[in-house]
Every structure is written in structure tokens, then in C-alpha cells.
């Protein structure tokens, strides 16, 4: 990130309390112009409150919000050039599509000619040029979605907020809309802030993702960074799937060493997030299924990696290219590993296998209470 | 087969009370009234079929003046009830918390537990020459002599608004309750001022409730008898009073029946006009709330 005032949105130490409950705790972040930024977190983590503060529906208890470098504290929501796509879209049912999109322009006092031109223009950009005369209830879910975005984009906002707008759609449509949203964002070249609890939405669409938990940002980074180099145990556990152990470090040089899990397994680990982990610390170890190599026990000698574990295939979870195998280890726990099932000579339940993974992929974090 | 018969029997049994109510208390009496109103008295105990009662109404300005007066004052009462009731309904439905909402609704309902008559007498106690307000004003030295607040149009309108406002609030609350808060927020978010949001979003959304409340309130007001008589006295010239006079004082049932029908036709026309003007239908207003 550069130091030029190229940030569409800057938040400095934003916090919000409801009575004694602190919903958002001292959150700071900057969003560069024209990027797709997601805030990802479990429900109740404060992400909706944060967004409502940016939109102006809630006043922060502390901190500053700047849009295009100008503080908007005390500016009412209708004077902020931040538009929002609501969770249930909030299209006005008593107006048709044209009037829904024209509403914001009319509020600005635009002339009828200008309104007509701009509404038609935005309808063409979302590839729905002929729906202007339709009523809202005549639209499909995906069309409503696009109209809700068009209704905001016609006003050229500095920032567009999206509050889990895909939640109400069925799976197929949701997958399609993910790609479409990304394309729309490119087309409009406006900063999108996307709030979601669905990590695949955040990872697929975003340039940057902030992981939010319990009112704090745990980590901000590119989707790849969050996935491969999580800073905290929460991020490692929340983003993507992981096999998870807890254990105690038996030997360490600070950045890596040996750990013994509660089940009695010893493995080589790497300290996650650039942390230093000393000997004797209670830790959690995360290993992603795709980094675990599975070979039949007969070929055990060929298994690469620093860590090994023998077990028996408990079941196969077939899901095309994302198929998985569940292996029951000698100590009785179930471990997930990704496998390629070709339909020919695949593993079968009951077979003895050896799992292996490298120390680099066994990320270790100090145990942090309940995370 | 048996099951089909049972189902049909259930339907008939469930429907019977309603059908009997409609038939015996609404349709039959009204047919009787129509027949009665179309009878002309030509000599003692001699009657002829004819429109004489309706012609009398048209020829006598005091009759249709009273009807027009009743109509216009009822419209005023409806408008006032809407103006006062809408903010109350909005507060109950959208701003009050869950617990206060119940309490407020109950507060609105409490006056209904007391009969119309008692409530009207309550107003009389407050407003008459020797009533609470007059006495208080004299005691505080603001006026020198007793003041009569009763028996004028303002009092009648206040009394009527008070009696009917609940029937405006209830349908409004139920319509506004169904409105997603995010619609209002979206209205602000897209740049609307408070007034724009009210005019373009809240009122259009609440239109079915507004129209249904207005219809009920207008009907109740135009057809009310006790409040105008007790609070307005002889000056009230309410049309229901004319009907009462024809039936009871003059013992002219034929004319009374004709007046009754004219009132029904008049209010129905006003409501039809109102529905046409607001672009609503009975099906999506009264039938819904």
C-alpha cells in the first residue's frame, strides 16, 4: 500500500459499545481505491455493526471514519456518498425497477432527462436493459441482486457496502453471482466492501480480506496470505478446513521444533504468523487436508515429509475433484486428507495407509483460550 | 366417499353461522327497508309504490344539506384521525421496543372497554359550563365567567376523533409492522431526506393500511349517533339524527328507510371515490388488515 491519499475509506480505532457490550473494539483499516475488500467473520462478530457505522446508521463510540480523506463523523447517512446493498436488498416494492433506480437521482434533484439517461445507462451496464418497466416482484433473485447494485451505482458512490447480499440465493445462483459481482466491481471500478460469513464468497471475490472475530480484526491480507500464512489460531481454524490438534512443545528453536499432541503423537511443526514459540508452551497445530499425503501402507517407505502417521481408511468422502479420505489413526482420532480419486485402483475403506506431511505445513499457534 | 361427506358437512356447519348472520341480520332487513322506502303514503293506511320519499329528500334542502354536512365533517374527522393516528401508529410499530409496544397498544384499547355513552358523558363532564375545564379556567383567573364548550362543531369533531382514532391506529400499526426497517434505511442511504423517505417510501408502503383505516373511520363517523347528539346537541344536525327523527318522532318509517338508504349510498360513493383516487382496491386494503 502506498502513502498517497488513495484510500477510499480509512477507519482509525473505531469502536462501538451497546451498553456494556463492546461490539466493535478499536478497529483500524484502510481500503485502497477501487479494490474489493471483504470483512469475513462468524455471525455476531460485529461486522454488521461496523458496516452500519460506515453507512452512518450507527454513531461510533470512538475513533474516526474517513471517506476519500474526509471525516464523516456527524454526517447523516443521506449525506454520505456511501451506498449500501442490504441483506434482503430492500428494493422498494411500491416502485417499479426504473423508479427504484431513479429514487436516489430524484433525491439529488436531477432533471428528468438526466434520470432517464443514467438509469438506462446503468441498466445496460448490468446487462438488464429492458427491465425498467417491470415490478420488483416480477424479477428473479439474481436480477433483484443486480438491480439493488445498480440502484446504488447510478449514484457513483465512493464506497459500496454489501451486507451478505447473496445469503438468500440458492447455491447455483450464488456461485454465478460471485463471479458476476467481481466482474461488476471491475466494470464500475468502485471500492466494494463486502460483509460475509461465507469464506468462499470472501476468498473468491476479494482483493483483500479482513478476518473479524469478537469485535477485532484478527488479520487483514490477500486471500492467499490468509489461507497459507494465517497469523492467529482463529484465522487458521476459520479460513479453510484443517485437521487440528492440541499439544505441548517438547523442543523448539523459536520458529519450529517438535510438539507432542494430547493423543501422544509427535510431529515437527513451524510456528505460524512469525510468532516465536518456546519449549513447554501449550499450542494448537493445524494441518490442511490438501497438504497431507496418503499412501498405502505397503508403499510406506516412499512417503515423503517430516511427519508420519499410520492408520486405516475409515471412509471415503467422494466429491469429484474435492474428494477426501477419513483415516482413523492408531490413537483413534479421525484425520481428513485430500485424495485424488480416479475411479481406478482407489483407496477403499479398511485399507492400511500412511499419512505424511511436512513440518512447514504443520502450523502451530499458542493456545488462546477458546479460539 | 364418507370422508368427502364429512368434509362437506364440516364446511356447511362452519359456514352456517356466517350465512345466517348475513342473511337474517343484513340482507333480509335491508330488503325490508328498501321495500319500505319505496312505499308512498297516500291516505291513512293506504300505500302506493313510488319514489316519493326520495323526491321529498331532494326537494327539501335541509335534508340534503344535513347529509352533505355530515359527509364533509366525517371527512374532516377521518383526515384528523389519520394525521394524529399515523405518528402514533408509526411510533408503536417501528420505534417503541417490544415491551412498550404491548403496553401502548393496550393503552389505545382501554377506552374501548367503556361504552360510547359513558365516554360521551365523560366529555360532557369536562366541557360543560360547570365542567372541569370551565371551572379550572375561572379558578385560575384566565376567564371571568363560566364558558360553555359543548354544543359546537369543534367539540363534536374532537369527540368523534377521540372515538374513532383507534380504528385508524390498528390497521396502520399492522401494515407498518410488516415494513422491513431496511426499506427506511435504504431510503436514507440513497440520499433521501426525512420528508422524502416519508413521502416516497413509508406512506406508499402504508397505503393499504391508510385506506382501510380511513374507510372504517369514515363509515363509523358518518353513521355515528351518540357522540354528535350528546356533544353537539341540537346544533349538530347529524344525518343519523334526521333518520332517528323520521322513525321515532315523526313515525314516518317510509321516509326514515329512504334516508337510511341515502346515507348508505352516499358513504359508499365517497368510499368508492376515495378508492379510485388512491388507486387501491377493497381487496388489498380492508380485506388485508
Amino acid at each position: 500500500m502506498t502513502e498517497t491519499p488513495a484510500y477510499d475509506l480509512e477507519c482509525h480505532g473505531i469502536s462501538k459499545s451497546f451498553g456494556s457490550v463492546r461490539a466493535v473494539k478499536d478497529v483500524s483499516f484502510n481500503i485502497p481505491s477501487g479494490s474489493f475488500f471483504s470483512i469475513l467473520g462468524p455471525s455476531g462478530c460485529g461486522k454488521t455493526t461496523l458496516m452500519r457505522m460506515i453507512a452512518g446508521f450507527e454513531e461510533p463510540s470512538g475513533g474516526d471514519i474517513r471517506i476519500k480523506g474526509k471525516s464523516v463523523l456527524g454526517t447523516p447517512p443521506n449525506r454520505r456518498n456511501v451506498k449500501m446493498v442490504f441483506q434482503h436488498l430492500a428494493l422498494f416494492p411500491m416502485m417499479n425497477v426504473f423508479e427504484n433506480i431513479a429514487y436516489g437521482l430524484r433525491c439529488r434533484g436531477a432533471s428528468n432527462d438526466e434520470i432517464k439517461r443514467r438509469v438506462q445507462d446503468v441498466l445496460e451496464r448490468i446487462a438488464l436493459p429492458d427491465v425498467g418497466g417491470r415490478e420488483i416482484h416480477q424479477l428473479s433473485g439474481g436480477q433483484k441482486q443486480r438491480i439493488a447494485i445498480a440502484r446504488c451505482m447510478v449514484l457513483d458512490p465512493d464506497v459500496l457496502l454489501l451486507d451478505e447480499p447473496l445469503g438468500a440465493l440458492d447455491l447455483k445462483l450464488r456461485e454465478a453471482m460471485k463471479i458476476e459481482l467481481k466482474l461488476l466491481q471491475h466494470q464500475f471500478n468502485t471500492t466494494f466492501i463486502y460483509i460475509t460469513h461465507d469464506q468462499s464468497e470472501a476468498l473468491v471475490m476479494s482483493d483483500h480480506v479482513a478476518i473479524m472475530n469478537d469485535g477485532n480484526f484478527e488479520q487483514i491480507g490477500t486471500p492467499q496470505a490468509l489461507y497459507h500464512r494465517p497469523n492467529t489460531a482463529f484465522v487458521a481454524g476459520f479460513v479453510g478446513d484443517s485437521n487440528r490438534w492440541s499439544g505441548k512443545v517438547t523442543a523448539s528453536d523459536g520458529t519450529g521444533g517438535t510438539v507432542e499432541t494430547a493423543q501422544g503423537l509427535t510431529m515437527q511443526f513451524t510456528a505460524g504468523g512469525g510468532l516465536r514459540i518456546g519449549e513447554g508452551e501449550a499450542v494448537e497445530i493445524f494441518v490442511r487436508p490438501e497438504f497431507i499425503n496418503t499412501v498405502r501402507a505397503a508403499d510406506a517407505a516412499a512417503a515423503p515429509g517430516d511427519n508420519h502417521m499410520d492408520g486405516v481408511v475409515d471412509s471415503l468422502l467422494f466429491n469429484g475433484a474435492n474428494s477426501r479420505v477419513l483415516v482413523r489413526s492408531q490413537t483413534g482420532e479421525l484425520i481428513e486428507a485430500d485424495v485424488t480419486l480416479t475411479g481406478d485402483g482407489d483407496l477403499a475403506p479398511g485399507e492400511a495407509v500412511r499419512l505424511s506431511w511436512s513440518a512447514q505445513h504443520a502450523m502451530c499457534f499458542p493456545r488462546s483460550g477458546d479460539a | 366417499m364418507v370422508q368427502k361427506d364429512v368434509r362437506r358437512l364440516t364446511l356447511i356447519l362452519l359456514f352456517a353461522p356466517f350465512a345466517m348472520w348475513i342473511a337474517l341480520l343484513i340482507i333480509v332487513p335491508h330488503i325490508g327497508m328498501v321495500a319500505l322506502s319505496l312505499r308512498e303514503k297516500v291516505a291513512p293506511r293506504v300505500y302506493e309504490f313510488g319514489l316519493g320519499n326520495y323526491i321529498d329528500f331532494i326537494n327539501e334542502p335541509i335534508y340534503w344539506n344535513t347529509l352533505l354536512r355530515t359527509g364533509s365533517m366525517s371527512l374532516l374527522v377521518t383526515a384528523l384521525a389519520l394525521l394524529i393516528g399515523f405518528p402514533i401508529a408509526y411510533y408503536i410499530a417501528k420505534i417503541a421496543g417490544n415491551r412498550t409496544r404491548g403496553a401502548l397498544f393496550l393503552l389505545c384499547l382501554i377506552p374501548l372497554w367503556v361504552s360510547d355513552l359513558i365516554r360521551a358523558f365523560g366529555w360532557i363532564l369536562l366541557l360543560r359550563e360547570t365542567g372541569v375545564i370551565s371551572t379550572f379556567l375561572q379558578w385560575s383567573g384566565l376567564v371571568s365567567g363560566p364558558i360553555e364548550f359543548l354544543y359546537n362543531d369543534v367539540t363534536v369533531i374532537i369527540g368523534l376523533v377521540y372515538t374513532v382514532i383507534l380504528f385508524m391506529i390498528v390497521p396502520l400499526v399492522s401494515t407498518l409492522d410488516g415494513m422491513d426497517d431496511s426499506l427506511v434505511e435504504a431510503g436514507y442511504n440513497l440520499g433521501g431526506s426525512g420528508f422524502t423517505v416519508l413521502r416516497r417510501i413509508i406512506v406508499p408502503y402504508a397505503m393499504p393500511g391508510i385506506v382501510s383505516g380511513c374507510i372504517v373511520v369514515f363509515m363509523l363517523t358518518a353513521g355515528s349517533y351518540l357522540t354528535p347528539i350528546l356533544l353537539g346537541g341540537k346544533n349538530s344536525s347529524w344525518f343519523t339524527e334526521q333518520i332517528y327523527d323520521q322513525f321515532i318522532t315523526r313515525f314516518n318509517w317510509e321516509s326514515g328507510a329512504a334516508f337510511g338508504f341515502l346515507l348508505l349510498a352516499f358513504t359508499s360513493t365517497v368510499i368508492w371515490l376515495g378508492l379510485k383516487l388512491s388507486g387501491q382496491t377493497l381487496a388489498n386494503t380492508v380485506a388485508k388488515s
Side-chain angles (χ1 to χ4, degrees), chain A residues 52 78 82-84 99 103, chain B residues 185 187-190 192 200:
Chain A
R52 291 177 60 82
N78 54 349
V82 173
K83 302 302 163 210
M84 180 159 162
E99 280 303 320
Y103 172 86
Chain B
E185 286 182 347
Y188 280 114
N189 180 259
L190 294 167
R200 300 268 337 256

Side-chain angles (χ1 to χ4, degrees), chain B residues 42-116:
Chain B
V42 288
R45 295 178 187 252
V46 182
Y47 298 98
E48 258 176 26
F49 178 84
L51 290 169
N53 297 310
Y54 292 94
I55 292 163
D56 280 351
F57 171 84
I58 294 165
N59 288 336
E60 184 56 77
I62 187 122
Y63 290 155
W64 49 263
N65 272 336
T66 315
L67 182 58
L68 287 181
R69 184 183 137 84
T70 305
S72 48
M73 277 178 65
S74 300
L75 283 179
L76 180 63
V77 168
T78 310
L80 285 174
L82 178 61
L83 280 181
I84 303 169
F86 195 88
I88 300 176
Y90 190 79
Y91 186 87
I92 293 177
K94 286 282 146 220
I95 300 171
N98 266 337
R99 274 177 59 194
T100 24
R101 179 183 307 184
L104 285 171
F105 221 40
L106 194 66
L107 275 180
C108 287
L109 282 172
I110 282 176
L112 270 197
W113 297 352
V114 182
S115 89
D116 264 8

Side-chain angles (χ1 to χ4, degrees), chain B residues 119-133:
Chain B
R119 276 186 284 164
F121 277 118
W123 279 106
I124 291 176
L125 278 181
L126 285 176
L127 297 175
R128 67 179 170 185
E129 232 174 327
T130 55
V132 174
I133 294 179

Side-chain angles (χ1 to χ4, degrees), chain A residues 52 57 77-78 82-84 86 90-95 99 103-104 106-107 151 155, chain B residues 180 182-194 196-197 200-202 204-205:
Chain A
R52 291 177 60 82
F57 297 124
N78 54 349
V82 173
K83 302 302 163 210
M84 180 159 162
F86 288 80
L91 292 169
F92 305 131
M94 53 281 176
M95 303 180 198
E99 280 303 320
Y103 172 86
R106 287 198 204 283
C107 289
R151 186 174 74 169
L155 299 169
Chain B
D180 189 352
S182 61
L183 283 183
V184 175
E185 286 182 347
Y188 280 114
N189 180 259
L190 294 167
S193 62
T196 318
V197 171
R200 300 268 337 256
I201 294 161
I202 300 175
Y205 189 93

Side-chain angles (χ1 to χ4, degrees), chain A residues 199-219:
Chain A
Q199 49 169 302
S200 84
E201 289 176 14
L203 298 180
V204 168
M205 294 189 283
S206 316
D207 299 320
H208 287 92
V209 180
I211 307 289
M212 195 168 184
N213 180 36
D214 196 22
N216 290 306
F217 274 7
E218 295 264 343
Q219 187 175 354

Side-chain angles (χ1 to χ4, degrees), chain A residues 30-187:
Chain A
N30 299 319
I31 301 179
S33 294
S35 64
F36 198 122
F37 187 89
S38 288
I39 299 175
L40 172 65
S43 26
C45 71
K47 55 191 193 297
T48 298
T49 309
L50 179 64
M51 193 182 48
R52 291 177 60 82
M53 287 192 285
I54 299 170
F57 297 124
E58 308 273 358
E59 199 60 27
S61 316
D64 192 14
I65 300 172
R66 289 163 175 277
I67 293 167
K68 292 257 188 229
K70 257 177 59 195
S71 173
V72 292
L73 289 189
T75 310
N78 54 349
R79 299 273 167 73
R80 296 187 187 193
N81 201 13
V82 173
K83 302 302 163 210
M84 180 159 162
V85 176
F86 288 80
Q87 191 165 9
H88 302 294
L89 305 181
L91 292 169
F92 305 131
M94 53 281 176
M95 303 180 198
N96 64 17
V97 169
F98 181 90
E99 280 303 320
N100 259 284
I101 300 177
Y103 172 86
L105 294 168
R106 287 198 204 283
C107 289
R108 278 188 186 171
S111 71
N112 274 332
D113 287 346
E114 193 196 344
I115 290 175
K116 221 174 256 168
R117 186 170 51 73
R118 293 185 64 166
V119 171
Q120 198 50 45
D121 182 50
V122 82
L123 281 175
E124 265 156 31
R125 286 170 83 175
I126 59 164
L128 290 172
D130 306 317
V131 299
R134 290 217 209 143
E135 295 298 324
I136 295 303
H137 62 85
Q138 295 171 315
L139 301 176
S140 70
Q143 289 173 330
K144 281 184 192 169
Q145 197 85 50
R146 283 188 270 172
I147 296 301
I149 293 169
R151 186 174 74 169
C152 296
M153 295 317 296
V154 77
L155 299 169
D156 294 324
D158 294 332
V159 175
L160 181 70
L161 303 170
L162 299 104
D163 184 8
E164 303 194 26
L166 302 188
L169 302 180
D170 59 66
L171 186 69
K172 258 276 181 329
L173 192 52
R174 200 152 65 209
E175 294 301 320
M177 279 311 291
K178 274 184 210 170
I179 298 162
E180 191 153 330
L181 265 177
K182 182 74 190 155
L183 290 176
L184 279 173
Q185 191 262 335
H186 263 297
Q187 201 188 351

